Amino acid sequence: GAILTASADANSIFTRWSGDCSETGTASCSVHYEWGYSSVYAVFGYAGPTVTAFRLPETSNGLTIAITTFTATDNVGATGYMVTESSTKPAASDLGWITTAPTSYTFATSGAKTLYAWAKDSDGNVSTSLSATVIIDITAPRVTVFSLPTTSISLTVAITTFTATDNVGVTGYMITDTLIAPAASATGWSASVSASYTFDYDGSKTLYAWVKDGVENVSPGKSASVNVLPIAEPLNNWHWRNPLPQGNYLSGITYGNNTFVAVGSSGTI
């Protein structure tokens, strides 16, 4: 007796044995004979087209995602392409085949998704699939609390509270003095909450807090206001009345909240 092994090349696939073989459906055949000879044939079929590359972006903030790569080879040429969410091989007669590789796919819901790429040839041979995954997050983060002190005697104002939430995780924080939402790619995003904000001049001010997530969803802004009081000029910038006072015992003078404050036993300003 003898054991025969069938080996297919890159473009073929073993289908069955024919002749005096006691095995079916495997690539190994046991042949038993008492005398003479036995005829055994290994039958091969064409393996069909091959999907050579299929890639998706790692994340997306929309239900429609780009297919970054989809290529296939065939001994004559691939005539059909298909992308599915199921790992079940589609029939060659399926209505979903198109003649060129798709460049995008639209999901119905968000979450972790897997797509399967298929190709077919003119003889109806359908390839095995290549798969790729993408995480879709269409939920924007949200600023939950943003507050400032009611007043400030400094142009640099402390941020009292800045908290946010997201279904996956907040990756960036920003504070602006404009209601226009910043782009996710804008400069100025920080991985942590800023402790303060510095204005250019005093007055009634409004700030807006923003956050973004890992797939570049940007939250709506949340506002808070502060009254930055006028900043007193240094003493050497003040104009004393004429004639200059004599015997002045003042040790300090300042101005804030529309009030003059003088420190000392006596003096004239």
Side-chain angles (χ1 to χ4, degrees):
I3 297 177
L4 305 179
T5 300
S7 180
D9 62 21
N11 295 317
S12 302
I13 184 171
F14 172 79
T15 58
R16 62 186 175 86
W17 292 100
S18 178
D20 299 328
C21 182
S22 61
E23 304 290 337
T24 58
T26 67
S28 296
C29 173
S30 297
V31 181
H32 302 281
Y33 53 89
E34 299 295 333
W35 54 272
Y37 65 89
S38 294
S39 297
V40 177
Y41 303 93
V43 180
F44 295 89
Y46 173 57
T50 300
V51 177
T52 53
F54 181 58
R55 297 184 183 90
L56 305 174
E58 293 183 0
T59 59
S60 173
N61 59 8
L63 294 175
T64 298
I65 64 162
I67 297 174
T68 54
T69 306
F70 186 174
T71 57
T73 60
D74 183 72
N75 64 332
V76 176
T79 59
Y81 300 83
M82 188 185 295
V83 174
T84 68
E85 295 182 50
S86 170
S87 60
T88 301
K89 179 182 290 190
S93 59
D94 193 294
L95 297 179
W97 292 101
I98 59 176
T99 57
T100 57
T103 58
S104 65
Y105 185 88
T106 300
F107 290 95
T109 59
S110 60
K113 302 293 184 178
T114 300
L115 285 182
Y116 300 87
W118 313 86
K120 73 170 184 175
D121 61 18
S122 57
D123 293 327
N125 296 304
V126 177
S127 71
T128 56
S129 67
L130 278 185
S131 64
T133 60
V134 59
I135 296 176
I136 298 176
D137 179 7
I138 61 174
T139 303
R142 181 171 58 92
V143 178
T144 51
V145 181
F146 179 57
S147 61
L148 303 172
T150 304
T151 60
S152 174
I153 60 172
S154 170
L155 293 176
T156 298
V157 178
I159 307 299
T160 307
T161 310
F162 186 172
T163 60
T165 185
D166 183 65
N167 62 325
V168 177
V170 175
T171 61
Y173 301 81
M174 186 184 293
I175 297 173
T176 69
D177 58 4
T178 176
L179 184 56
I180 299 174
S185 58
T187 59
W189 289 101
S190 173
S192 58
V193 176
S194 300
S196 63
Y197 185 92
T198 300
F199 293 98
D200 293 330
Y201 51 89
D202 58 36
S204 179
K205 303 293 184 179
T206 300
L207 291 180
Y208 301 87
W210 315 86
V211 290
K212 69 174 182 175
D213 62 19
V215 296
E216 298 191 338
N217 293 308
V218 176
S219 72
K222 195 172 188 67
S223 65
S225 298
V226 58
N227 184 23
V228 180
L229 301 176
I231 309 303
E233 294 184 58
L235 285 177
N236 57 3
N237 291 338
W238 283 53
H239 297 283
W240 295 76
R241 72 171 193 179
N242 282 321
L244 291 179
Q246 301 295 320
N248 199 317
Y249 295 100
L250 296 179
S251 59
I253 186 170
T254 189
Y255 172 84
N257 199 20
N258 298 317
T259 303
F260 287 98
V261 178
V263 179
S265 58
S266 64
T268 303
I269 59 173

